[in-house]
């Protein structure tokens, strides 16, 4: 029988943050993990957060969901306001790839106040 660790899902969220909104975005992203964690939706492992070296800013967040945590998070009244705040700070972008469909963007670690 598989243990609960086998049912966890690690995800990489990529956020195309509006230029000039980085500080506010980092505050909201810190609230995202702390809210999800307090509700038991994600593991106790703090997420790995990276910021692009190049502009405009792109952030990548690597976090792990607890089994069954994803669906209830999408409707939880404590999570929805955080996700709405994130949506206000990001923008759609076309992301070019090289001819074979591979990219190697460079990132630096970000420490969030959590």
């Amino acid at each position: 029988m598989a243990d609960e660790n086998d049912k966890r899902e690690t995800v990489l969220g990529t956020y195309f943050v509006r230029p000039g909104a980085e500080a506010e975005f980092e505050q909201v992203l810190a609230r995202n993990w702390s809210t999800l964690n307090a509700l038991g939706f994600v593991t106790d492992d703090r997420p790995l957060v990276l910021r692009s070296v190049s502009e405009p800013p792109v952030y990548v967040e690597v976090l792990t969901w607890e089994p069954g945590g994803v669906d209830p998070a999408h409707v939880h009244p404590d999570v929805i306001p955080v996700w709405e705040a994130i949506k206000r700070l990001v923008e759609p972008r076309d992301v070019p790839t090289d001819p074979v469909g591979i990219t190697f963007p460079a990132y630096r670690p970000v420490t969030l106040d959590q």
Side-chain angles (χ1 to χ4, degrees):
M1 176 180 272
D3 70 20
E4 290 298 300
N5 286 335
D6 293 339
K7 296 178 185 174
R8 290 181 171 148
E9 296 178 358
T10 298
V11 297
L12 289 83
T14 302
Y15 305 93
F16 300 99
V17 178
R18 287 183 327 195
E22 297 96 325
E24 184 179 0
F25 174 79
E26 289 181 17
Q27 291 174 354
V28 174
L29 193 62
R31 277 197 349 252
N32 182 54
W33 178 81
S34 62
T35 301
L36 294 170
N37 182 257
L39 295 167
F41 296 150
V42 296
T43 66
D44 290 336
D45 299 324
R46 293 192 183 276
L48 172 63
V49 178
L50 306 168
R51 185 202 186 280
S52 61
V53 172
S54 61
E55 297 294 334
V58 177
Y59 285 75
V60 173
E61 175 189 39
V62 182
L63 64 81
T64 302
W65 289 93
E66 288 288 2
V70 174
D71 290 337
H74 280 84
V75 296
H76 198 284
D78 293 343
V79 177
I80 291 169
V82 177
W83 288 0
E84 289 297 321
I86 288 173
K87 284 195 255 184
R88 287 190 299 274
L89 298 168
V90 297
E91 62 186 11
R93 290 192 200 137
D94 290 327
V95 180
T97 61
D98 74 4
V100 296
I102 300 171
T103 62
F104 292 97
Y107 294 89
R108 290 193 176 103
V110 174
T111 302
L112 302 177
D113 295 326
Q114 299 180 29

